[in-house]
Amino acid sequence: MRFSTALFVLTLALAPAPALMPVAFAQAGVGAQATVTPQAAEFFEKKVRPLLVDNCISCHGDSKANGGLRLDSLNAILKGGDSGTALVPGNAGKSRLVKAIAYNSDLKMPPSGKLSADAIATLTQWVTMGAPWPGAKPTAPQATNGEYVIPDEMRKWWSFKPVTKPSTPQVKAKWWVKSPIDSFILAKLEQKSLKPSPYVDRRTLIRRASFDLTGLPPTPEAVESFVNDKRTDAYSRVVDNLLASPQYGERWGRHWLDIARYADTKGYAFTEDPVYHNAYTYRDYVIRSFNEDLPYDQFVVQQLAADKLDLGDDKRPLAALGFLNVGRRFLNDPVFINDDRIDCTCRGLLGLTVGCARCHNHKFDPVSMKDYYALYGVFASGFEPNPPPAISPKSISGPFEAHNAQILSTEKQVQDQVRSEMTQLRARVEKDPGKASPEVKQILQSIRLENLPDGGQLAKLMPAFSPAAADSIKKLQATVADLRAHIPPTPEFAMATQDLPKPFDAYVFLRGNPGNRGDAVPRRFIQLLSGEGAKPYADGGRLQLGQDIANKNNPLTARVFVNRVWMYHFGQAIVRTPSDFGTRGEKPTNPALLDWLAASFMEDGWSIKKLHRRIMLSSAYQQSCDGSQAAFNADPENRLVYRQNRQRLDFESLRDTMLAVAGKLDKSVGGPAVEITKAPFSTRRTVYGFIDRQNLQPLFRAFDFASPDSSSAQRFNTTVPQQSLFMMNSPFIVEQAKALAARPEVMGAKTVTAQVTVLYKLLYQRMPGHEEIAAAESFLRGLEQLRQASATGDTSVRTASLGQKPAVARALSPLEEYAQTLLLTNELLFVD
């Protein structure tokens, strides 16, 4: 049987033949393959398989699959081809395979000639029986109406079960438990006869907390204050102060921007402006939301549908919609843009790889194509308004909008008068062609009736207008020029989204091709998370989508977020595939702890700052990085959290730390992006650096910056020569070394020992040891000798500690070079 590529366009119906054999499968689908009876198996092998082999397999087998359809296995038939499944077991009337062989439409299968009546009856009866296929092991059942059915075993996957708050386990070493978190950790350790690591010292603890929450080192004064604070709540006060710092939002906002694939440009844009001039307002919204501890459920809803909320006079949350719009533009192809939005939303918020269902049902997770295109309809039902909405206070946006409205109104008057005069001029020229110059005639012929002339054309047409109209147009043009020359302060604008007047009627793109329409799909949430009886979204659906994602009954949202927060505090997540909670992702190392954190997070009103406190005040967080050999042997990957993980500074913390210890860091918050890789080097925090998606700066790439092309679950951690070369030779680092050596505290120190002590406190938050002071004195003394020898031309001088010839005078003084050396050390670049 030869099936053409247009097989599934069939709409003819064929009444099923009466059942002649017992039904072998449950009517819900083919999940009961194991119940194929001997009679059904004999019927298939003697009558059905020969029909398929003789008439179908040559065009729909393993070597050739016309229309994307194979008929050599049950799974292949259920999967179908370009138009979806070819078979609905138990329902011959809704099976495209049966409709095709009826031969009653333009599409006749097989095209070489209609099957015999007996053959048609045999295949129809086989489908009515439930399509028994001995030995078949289908992966996903199909309902009798052809809809996707979620397998029961999929519903039992750990992340799809409801979040419950488990009871705190009982442990032996109760003295170690400062938080319920510790009970969950300790219970796992005691099962393996392991012990947690000792508490870390106070200097290391405040350094760890400061980098975790602000991305900056603590000041020497803050360290000494904490070390000498004898109050029992001294550490909790440190955590609270760090959470209240404006730098907290900058640090944790940057973590979120990785998930949101933030950049300041569109990617490849051909001839159009590649820059997102208002992207920074989304970045500033994220930073502000973390600083204000905006509940996470509201944070989610605002990023999907802030325009649908009652915001009152404060329009700043409209900037949250940048979450949808700061991704790549794919040359403005809406199919790819919306695919990117689906991927970012689902992996970022739900930990589900829904994008895998774009061309077929998900191979591993219970997500169907219709789930994907239901979400596609939601995002395709919106548009970005132009001009974008202003989000500054009314004192700024009000005068600007009024002034801009006046400009638009005056320009419209000019356009109306020009259009009227051109109509009259055309009439005069048509009546008496001799009264118009050839140039005027040529211009009139080159402009369509509904179009307007450009500036040069209008200047040539003006003399042909009536004197009164020409004078009026000139006065209006002068008014527009004057208005544009006196524009009041410009407000900030949001990369916002609004609903289309008529929502997009979604349908399946067969094999991912938008030109090949499949079944209509109502806009709705993912079936797995919404249940069978969920109603479709009434309008575009972004608000309902946000509410469904942020719903307490959604088993994924809270789990995914607390897992991310844990990852940044410990260096490793509980679920080590933070954006994939599906069956191809890793299972949690401590599922009870994950659920306890998620449930507590929601009980606390989705407060992110309270989540930080819960984690950071635990004994588990305050452990040393140095564990016992026995624990390492039993758990080399530290999945049981028997110690804290040593972490390397990411790119932002590294650069910001260099500026901070040099005393040059600009702590102003918010505003447009700045260039940070070229001299003169900006001293603003790295989170405000300009990110060019198409040509990401090599410095960003060298230090494992998150790719802005898609949502990033976590950053890679590489060690490459470019990193060391930058630290040794970069003009930026040299500039910070000079500033560090020139700090008043350093220059004011009277001895080398005092200078080294100040530098160690600034960089490492501790006192130097005797050996370190001796090494510093030797280093500085050798550099000074080398410098003097270079100045006098004495080429016989050698410095054993340096092993260098004094051929070229150094650009740095000995103290500056020593400062740079300290900036290159692992102790500065790693956090214990």
Side-chain angles (χ1 to χ4, degrees):
M1 186 160 113
R2 294 181 175 88
F3 279 56
S4 77
T5 56
L7 170 64
F8 295 135
V9 181
L10 287 171
T11 57
L12 60 108
L14 178 68
L20 302 178
M21 298 283 287
V23 175
F25 295 163
Q27 291 296 307
V30 296
Q33 270 294 321
T35 65
V36 176
T37 64
Q39 297 90 342
E42 182 181 6
F43 177 76
F44 174 80
E45 295 295 352
K46 286 187 175 182
K47 294 188 175 183
V48 178
R49 192 190 293 274
L51 276 174
L52 296 175
V53 172
D54 292 343
N55 300 283
C56 309
I57 302 304
S58 61
C59 292
H60 299 282
D62 58 352
S63 60
K64 186 178 182 181
N66 287 352
L69 175 66
R70 291 178 60 174
L71 298 174
D72 54 352
S73 72
L74 182 59
N75 279 338
I77 300 175
L78 290 171
K79 178 182 177 182
D82 292 347
S83 296
T85 182
L87 180 67
V88 179
N91 194 328
K94 292 186 177 181
S95 295
R96 290 187 172 99
L97 175 63
V98 175
K99 293 178 182 180
I101 62 177
Y103 234 62
N104 291 337
S105 71
D106 294 337
L107 184 62
K108 297 175 173 59
M109 290 295 142
S112 58
K114 186 177 181 180
L115 295 176
S116 68
D118 287 344
I120 294 174
T122 295
L123 289 174
T124 302
Q125 179 183 345
W126 174 67
V127 173
T128 302
M129 293 167 59
W133 192 300
K137 296 181 179 180
T139 57
Q142 300 287 328
T144 56
N145 61 359
E147 291 295 322
Y148 181 81
V149 176
I150 299 173
D152 289 339
E153 61 270 19
M154 286 289 190
R155 293 187 182 278
K156 297 176 183 178
W157 182 249
W158 72 268
S159 64
F160 304 148
K161 295 178 182 179
V163 174
T164 59
K165 190 173 185 179
S167 57
T168 305
Q170 295 297 313
V171 294
K172 298 176 183 177
K174 292 182 172 58
W175 61 269
W176 192 74
V177 177
K178 294 183 177 181
S179 160
I181 291 174
D182 299 324
S183 295
F184 289 100
I185 297 293
L186 192 57
K188 289 278 188 179
L189 291 174
E190 290 181 344
Q191 287 175 10
K192 301 289 186 179
S193 300
L194 299 176
K195 296 180 180 180
S197 298
Y199 289 116
V200 74
D201 65 88
R202 282 200 166 193
R203 292 183 185 275
T204 304
L205 181 59
I206 189 174
R207 189 171 190 268
R208 177 188 298 171
S210 183
F211 273 111
D212 270 8
L213 291 181
T214 69
L216 296 170
T219 64
E221 294 77 18
V223 174
E224 294 306 319
S225 176
F226 175 54
V227 169
N228 296 317
D229 191 341
K230 304 304 180 183
R231 290 174 293 186
T232 56
D233 63 345
Y235 175 56
S236 65
R237 288 172 179 268
V238 167
V239 172
D240 288 340
N241 289 337
L242 292 171
L243 289 171
S245 165
Q247 285 70 53
Y248 158 74
E250 293 169 332
R251 170 65 166 169
W252 281 83
R254 181 57 254 184
H255 290 326
W256 184 260
L257 295 179
D258 285 5
I259 299 166
R261 82 275 189 239
Y262 175 85
D264 294 290
T265 64
K266 304 172 183 177
Y268 181 65
F270 195 45
T271 58
E272 69 176 81
D273 183 0
V275 177
Y276 286 139
H277 295 282
N278 300 314
Y280 76 93
T281 62
Y282 172 68
R283 177 245 291 147
D284 288 352
Y285 160 82
V286 171
I287 292 173
R288 184 172 64 253
S289 296
F290 275 94
N291 276 332
E292 295 177 355
D293 198 19
L294 180 70
Y296 182 69
D297 57 343
Q298 296 181 36
F299 183 61
V300 167
V301 172
Q302 287 183 5
Q303 289 180 93
L304 295 175
D307 60 309
K308 309 292 287 184
L309 304 175
D310 183 9
L311 301 178
D313 292 335
D314 186 3
K315 303 299 182 185
R316 291 179 300 167
L318 288 176
L321 294 163
F323 178 78
L324 300 177
N325 300 320
V326 295
R328 288 179 61 191
R329 278 307 148 111
F330 306 96
L331 291 176
N332 295 319
D333 187 323
V335 174
F336 289 102
I337 291 173
N338 288 318
D339 177 72
D340 174 62
R341 289 167 175 161
I342 292 170
D343 176 73
C344 183
T345 299
C346 293
R347 287 202 299 123
L349 305 179
L350 297 170
L352 276 182
T353 55
V354 173
C356 294
R358 175 179 172 180
C359 302
H360 49 72
N361 292 341
H362 202 294
K363 296 295 185 184
F364 306 107
D365 295 336
V367 179
S368 68
M369 283 185 76
K370 289 191 174 181
D371 285 329
Y372 176 92
Y373 287 101
L375 297 180
Y376 185 95
V378 172
F379 293 116
S381 295
F383 72 99
E384 295 174 65
N386 188 22
I391 58 174
S392 295
K394 282 189 174 182
S395 59
I396 296 176
S397 60
F400 177 86
E401 289 175 346
H403 193 89
N404 196 51
Q406 192 175 357
I407 292 174
L408 295 175
S409 175
T410 308
E411 287 180 334
K412 186 177 184 303
Q413 292 180 53
V414 173
Q415 294 167 1
D416 291 344
Q417 288 201 23
V418 170
R419 190 172 281 112
S420 174
E421 282 300 305
M422 287 184 65
T423 301
Q424 296 180 42
L425 180 58
R426 280 193 171 96
R428 291 198 299 271
V429 171
E430 185 177 351
K431 184 176 181 180
D432 189 356
K435 288 189 175 182
S437 68
E439 186 177 44
V440 169
K441 293 178 185 178
Q442 189 274 329
I443 293 174
L444 290 176
Q445 290 174 354
S446 67
I447 300 174
R448 297 173 61 90
L449 290 176
E450 65 272 17
N451 292 343
L452 291 167
D454 60 31
Q457 292 171 327
L458 179 58
K460 295 175 181 178
L461 290 177
M462 288 280 280
F465 290 171
S466 67
D471 183 61
S472 176
I473 291 171
K474 289 179 180 178
K475 288 181 179 179
L476 290 171
Q477 288 176 327
T479 301
V480 171
D482 182 67
L483 288 170
R484 290 192 175 280
H486 298 88
I487 294 178
T490 303
E492 293 184 321
F493 299 95
M495 294 184 68
T497 296
Q498 294 179 5
D499 281 349
L500 292 168
K502 183 180 182 301
F504 176 75
D505 293 325
Y507 55 89
V508 172
F509 298 170
L510 298 176
R511 296 175 72 86
N513 182 357
N516 196 2
R517 293 194 175 204
D519 296 336
V521 184
R523 293 174 300 281
R524 57 168 174 79
F525 196 34
I526 299 169
Q527 180 184 336
L528 169 71
L529 303 176
S530 60
E532 300 289 343
K535 295 181 179 180
Y537 296 151
D539 54 11
R542 283 182 293 109
L543 178 58
Q544 296 96 318
L545 175 62
Q547 292 169 339
D548 281 339
I549 292 176
N551 193 309
K552 287 186 176 182
N553 295 323
N554 184 330
L556 290 170
T557 306
R559 282 184 176 129
V560 168
F561 186 75
V562 300
N563 184 66
R564 294 191 192 280
V565 174
W566 183 275
M567 176 180 70
Y568 289 120
H569 280 307
F570 282 88
Q572 294 174 337
I574 299 174
V575 179
R576 299 197 174 189
T577 51
S579 286
D580 188 359
F581 276 40
T583 60
R584 307 306 288 180
E586 287 202 32
K587 292 183 178 180
T589 57
N590 197 325
L593 172 59
L594 181 66
D595 267 21
W596 187 88
L597 287 169
S600 300
F601 179 52
M602 292 187 284
E603 288 175 359
D604 285 340
W606 303 79
S607 168
I608 300 173
K609 289 190 176 182
K610 288 182 179 179
L611 177 61
H612 287 303
R613 283 180 53 83
R614 284 184 183 277
I615 293 174
M616 297 180 68
L617 297 183
S618 68
S619 291
Y621 177 82
Q622 297 175 49
Q623 293 179 97
S624 167
C625 290
D626 300 320
S628 67
Q629 186 63 47
F632 176 80
N633 292 339
D635 181 21
E637 295 184 4
N638 194 26
R639 289 176 175 264
L640 300 177
V641 195
Y642 67 86
R643 60 175 172 83
Q644 179 58 272
N645 293 297
R646 181 172 290 111
Q647 299 187 56
R648 194 174 72 184
L649 297 184
D650 58 21
F651 172 59
E652 292 89 340
S653 293
L654 172 63
R655 180 181 175 277
D656 294 346
T657 294
M658 296 295 167
L659 290 167
V661 297
K664 297 179 63 177
L665 183 64
D666 178 359
K667 292 186 178 181
S668 57
V669 177
V674 296
E675 173 58 57
I676 64 171
T677 62
K678 298 177 182 177
F681 299 108
S682 171
T683 59
R684 300 211 64 197
R685 289 202 70 173
T686 311
V687 71
Y688 300 114
F690 185 85
I691 301 171
D692 187 343
R693 175 178 275 117
Q694 179 66 19
N695 299 294
L696 188 63
Q697 295 90 331
L699 176 61
F700 285 60
R701 295 183 185 276
F703 284 92
D704 306 317
F705 187 78
S707 170
D709 283 340
S710 62
S711 179
S712 295
Q714 54 191 327
R715 295 193 183 183
F716 296 105
N717 198 346
T718 65
T719 301
V720 294
Q722 291 89 334
Q723 296 166 355
S724 295
L725 292 172
F726 173 81
M727 299 296 293
M728 294 169 64
N729 303 309
S730 164
F732 172 79
I733 297 296
V734 171
E735 188 175 294
Q736 308 321 310
K738 289 181 177 181
L740 173 60
R743 287 191 63 156
E745 308 98 302
V746 178
M747 297 301 294
K750 303 300 184 183
T751 64
V752 170
T753 299
Q755 288 180 323
V756 172
T757 299
V758 171
L759 288 171
Y760 266 69
K761 285 185 175 181
L762 287 170
L763 272 62
Y764 310 139
Q765 294 80 52
R766 66 174 178 85
M767 295 285 288
H770 294 301
E771 291 183 356
E772 290 168 322
I773 293 176
E777 291 175 342
S778 174
F779 183 87
L780 291 169
R781 184 168 54 251
L783 283 175
E784 185 60 35
Q785 292 174 356
L786 186 61
R787 183 182 182 188
Q788 292 175 2
S790 178
T792 60
D794 183 1
T795 58
S796 64
V797 175
R798 298 289 186 272
T799 305
S801 61
L802 298 176
Q804 297 179 8
K805 296 180 180 180
V808 181
R810 294 178 176 274
L812 299 180
S813 70
L815 183 60
E816 290 169 345
E817 193 150 349
Y818 177 68
Q820 183 181 6
T821 302
L822 296 183
L823 290 176
L824 308 184
T825 58
N826 279 346
E827 185 169 355
L828 182 71
L829 304 180
F830 285 80
V831 179
D832 280 347

